[in-house]
């Protein structure tokens, strides 16, 4: 089965760019996520981490 898929993929012209593009998108997403985590405001992080602990009566708007 894998030989069939691999043989079919090799016959498509220009397909070698797709793994590079997908790796680049994957890498950029996690770099952006890493950057956001370290630059997020501490007050925002504190508010978000308290959301699961709040009851309906305690919600702040």
């Amino acid at each position: 089965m894998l030989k069939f898929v691999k043989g079919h993929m090799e016959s498509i012209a220009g397909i070698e760019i797709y793994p590079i593009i997908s790796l680049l998108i994957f890498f950029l997403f996690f770099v952006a996520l890493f950057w956001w985590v370290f630059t997020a405001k501490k007050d925002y992080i504190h508010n978000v981490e308290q959301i699961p602990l709040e009851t309906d009566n305690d919600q702040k708007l």
Side-chain angles (χ1 to χ4, degrees), residues 2 4-5 7-8 15 26 28 30-31 33 41 51 53 56 59 61:
L2 187 59
F4 174 73
V5 172
H8 183 65
I15 198 162
F26 179 81
L28 290 176
F30 281 102
V31 165
L33 189 64
K41 296 186 189 239
I51 290 174
L53 304 175
D56 291 336
Q59 288 182 357
L61 298 177

Side-chain angles (χ1 to χ4, degrees), residues 18-34:
Y18 289 107
I20 296 169
I21 291 172
S22 62
L23 179 65
L24 185 62
I25 290 170
F26 179 81
F27 181 75
L28 290 176
F29 173 77
F30 281 102
V31 165
L33 189 64
F34 189 74

Side-chain angles (χ1 to χ4, degrees), residues 1 8 12 16 22 24 27-28 42-43 47-48 50-51:
M1 179 72 181
H8 183 65
I12 300 172
E16 64 273 356
S22 62
L24 185 62
F27 181 75
L28 290 176
K42 302 303 178 200
D43 292 336
N47 288 338
V48 171
Q50 295 301 318
I51 290 174

